[in-house]
Amino acid sequence: MSSDQDHLRETDSEKRFEFKKEQNAAFAAEKGELDEETIRLISEDKDEPEWMLERRLRALRQFHAMPMPTDWPSQPDLSEVDVEEIVPYIRPDVDMRGSVDDWTELPDEIKDTFDKLGIPEAEKNALSGVGAQYESEVVYQNMQERWEEKGVIFCNMDKAVQDHPELVKEHFMTSCVPPSDNKFAALHGAIWSGGSFVYVPEGVTVEMPIQAYFRMNSEGMGQFEHTLIIAEENSEVHYIEGCSAPQYSKFNLHSGGVEVFVGENAHVQYSTVQNWSKNTYNLNTKRAICESEGTMEWISGSMGSKATMLYPSTILKGRGATDNHITIAFAGEGQDIDTGAKVYHNAPDTKSTIESKSISKDGGRTNYRGLIHISDGAENSSTSVECDALMFDNESTSDTMPYMEIEESKVDVAHEATVGKIGDEDVFYLQSRGLDDDDAKQMIVAGFIEPITEELPIEYAVELNRLIELEMEGSLG
C-alpha cells in the first residue's frame, strides 16, 4: 500500500472517532452545585417512580459525605475533576426516548453519528441485540425476535425501571455495587442515566453477542450509564460495549456502573473496547456476583482518556465458581491508565485467572492494580495472575501493584510479572524480512495483545488492533 493510501486510511479512522456534532438537547441539567433540586429535576424528566428518586437522593447524601479518593499509592491525579463543572444530564431531542427500534426514526444528526461509528453495520452482522446511547439517553435499541420469544429482555435501564420494577428494585445498586462502595459509585447512584438492562431466563443460551455503544458528544459533560445483567441458572450470554468521545479543551467525566449477577452454572462474558478522548476521566465501577459453578469473564481494552481508574471485580460466592480476566491498557503522552482486577474467593473450589497486558509510550504511564482475596474456608481454591508490560522508550513507566490477601492455607496461588522494552533485535529481525521500523513494532504489539483480540468477535478485534495502531502513530487526540 502506498504512503498516500496509508495516510488516507489513518485520516478516515481518526475522523471516525474525533468528529463532533452540535448539541441538540431536549433537556439539559445545568452545571453547578449538585444538589437535591438537580436530582429531582432529572428524576422528574424521566418520570421515575418514587422509590428510584429516594435511592438517588440517598446516594447523593453519601456522595457529599465521602472524600475524594486520594490515598492510594501512585494513583492518577484527580485534582482537575470538579463535579460542579460538569453537565450531569443531557437528553437528546428524540421523541420516543429509548423506545425507537427502527433506525430510520432517529434524528439525522444522531443517525449520522452512529453511522460513522459503525452501529448499523454491527446490526447487519446479525448480533443478537444492539443498543446505542447518545449523551445521557439510549436513543436506539433493537433485539432479535427469536430471543424475545425465549423471554430474553434487552432494553435501556430507564425502560427497565418502568416495565420491570421488581427485578430492578431487587438488583439495582443493592448487594453488588452499593453507593457506599466509593465516592464515584455514590455519584453514579445519584445521577445515573441510560445504560442497558439484560435478563436471560433459566436455561437460555443467547448464541450471538448483545452489543451496546455509548457516545459522549458534548463538551464538559458527564456520562453515567448503568448496565445491569441478570443471568439465571444454566443460562449464557455475551455482552459487548464500546465507548468513545471527541476531543475537547474541557474535561469530561465518565463514571458508569456495571452490575452482573451470574446464576448457578451460568456463563457471562462482558467485553469492553473503550476509546475515550484524552480529556476524559474514566472512573467506572464494575462488579459481578457469581453463584456455584457459574463462570464470569471480563475482557477489556482501555485506550484514550486522560486518566482511567478501572478494576472489574468478581465475588465468587458459590462453590466451584470461576472468574477470568483479560485486560489490555495503552498509555501515551499525558495519560495515566490505572487498571486491574479484583477477585474475592468466598467459597471452596473457586478458581480465577488474571492476564493483564499494558503498553506505554511517549512518557505515558500504565499500572496494574489488583486484589486477590481468599477467605478462610475457601479451601481448594486457585488463582493465577500474569502481568506483562511493554514500553517504547525510557520516558514511559509501568508499575505492578498486586495485593494478595490469603486467609486459607489449602489453596494454589501463582503470580508472575514481566516488564520490558521493545527489543532492538526483534525489530531488526522483522526489518530483515522486509518490514519498515513502524510496521515491525506494530507487528510485535499485535502479537503482544493477541490473547485479548482472539477473545473478541472479529469486528471488535480488528477495531482494537486499529486503535492500537493509531495510538502508536500518535493519530488520536
Side-chain angles (χ1 to χ4, degrees), residues 148-418:
E148 291 179 338
E149 292 170 356
K150 293 185 178 182
V152 177
I153 302 170
F154 176 45
C155 64
N156 68 69
M157 275 302 304
D158 296 291
K159 184 175 175 60
V161 170
Q162 303 291 345
D163 295 354
H164 309 284
E166 294 309 314
L167 280 172
V168 177
K169 194 180 294 187
E170 177 184 353
H171 296 91
F172 182 88
M173 300 196 78
T174 53
S175 59
C176 195
V177 181
S180 59
D181 188 81
N182 62 77
K183 188 174 182 68
F184 288 97
L187 175 66
H188 173 87
I191 57 178
W192 75 271
S193 183
S196 299
F197 177 79
V198 179
Y199 175 81
V200 186
E202 180 179 346
V204 173
T205 296
V206 183
E207 295 168 353
M208 296 292 287
I210 292 174
Q211 170 184 283
Y213 204 99
F214 302 103
R215 175 70 173 180
M216 186 160 44
N217 182 69
S218 298
E219 183 173 17
M221 80 162 291
Q223 192 171 75
F224 306 93
E225 81 283 348
H226 192 91
T227 299
L228 175 57
I229 300 174
I230 305 168
E232 299 285 13
E233 183 177 349
N234 294 309
S235 66
E236 185 169 349
V237 66
H238 182 188
Y239 178 89
I240 307 175
E241 69 173 12
C243 313
S244 71
Q247 177 76 16
Y248 286 109
S249 57
K250 295 181 180 179
F251 84 91
N252 283 17
L253 173 63
H254 178 246
S255 184
V258 175
E259 300 182 287
V260 184
F261 293 84
V262 185
E264 291 186 13
N265 202 40
H267 185 174
V268 177
Q269 181 172 326
Y270 193 107
S271 301
T272 307
V273 177
Q274 297 187 339
N275 179 41
W276 297 114
S277 64
K278 293 181 176 61
N279 63 313
T280 298
Y281 286 84
N282 183 30
L283 310 172
N284 271 11
T285 305
K286 299 183 175 184
R287 186 169 298 128
I289 297 177
C290 198
E291 304 292 344
S292 60
E293 302 299 331
T295 299
M296 181 68 207
E297 295 187 85
W298 300 96
I299 314 294
S300 59
S302 296
M303 270 72 63
S305 85
K306 183 170 185 176
T308 288
M309 296 179 71
L310 177 60
Y311 321 98
S313 63
T314 300
I315 299 171
L316 298 175
K317 182 181 176 183
R319 179 185 290 270
T322 299
D323 181 43
N324 300 316
H325 294 257
I326 299 178
T327 67
I328 182 168
F330 192 109
E333 181 180 2
Q335 292 180 273
D336 193 342
I337 310 300
D338 199 283
T339 58
K342 298 180 181 180
V343 187
Y344 299 86
H345 292 255
N346 291 348
D349 304 315
T350 50
K351 186 181 300 183
S352 66
T353 62
I354 299 172
E355 186 173 0
S356 172
K357 304 276 188 178
S358 66
I359 304 166
S360 54
K361 69 183 287 283
D362 298 332
R365 175 181 180 266
T366 59
N367 180 41
Y368 169 81
R369 192 186 303 269
L371 169 66
I372 297 292
H373 178 90
I374 301 181
S375 300
D376 183 22
E379 58 183 23
N380 300 319
S381 293
S382 64
T383 184
S384 174
V385 181
E386 182 179 343
C387 306
D388 298 322
L390 190 62
M391 293 181 291
F392 273 71
D393 47 61
N394 294 327
E395 291 73 38
S396 302
T397 58
S398 180
D399 299 306
T400 301
M401 298 181 181
Y403 295 85
M404 301 278 188
E405 300 174 349
I406 313 299
E407 299 176 353
E408 171 62 48
S409 59
K410 297 179 180 179
V411 296
D412 186 4
V413 178
H415 175 79
E416 178 183 351
T418 62

Side-chain angles (χ1 to χ4, degrees), residues 430-476:
L430 292 172
Q431 286 178 322
S432 71
R433 295 297 186 268
L435 298 178
D436 63 23
D437 183 72
D438 288 343
D439 287 341
K441 290 179 179 177
Q442 287 177 4
M443 182 171 285
I444 292 170
V445 170
F448 181 72
I449 68 171
E450 185 179 4
I452 183 172
T453 56
E454 67 184 9
E455 292 295 327
L456 293 169
I458 184 64
E459 68 271 17
Y460 278 85
V462 170
E463 191 68 54
L464 183 61
N465 274 305
R466 188 64 193 128
L467 286 171
I468 292 290
E469 289 177 19
L470 287 166
E471 292 283 3
M472 291 173 61
E473 295 159 2
S475 299
L476 285 177

Side-chain angles (χ1 to χ4, degrees), residues 104-123:
T104 61
E105 295 177 7
L106 286 172
D108 289 341
E109 68 272 13
I110 295 179
K111 228 178 352 181
D112 182 56
T113 295
F114 286 108
D115 279 339
K116 285 185 170 71
L117 292 168
I119 301 304
E121 285 79 0
E123 185 176 7

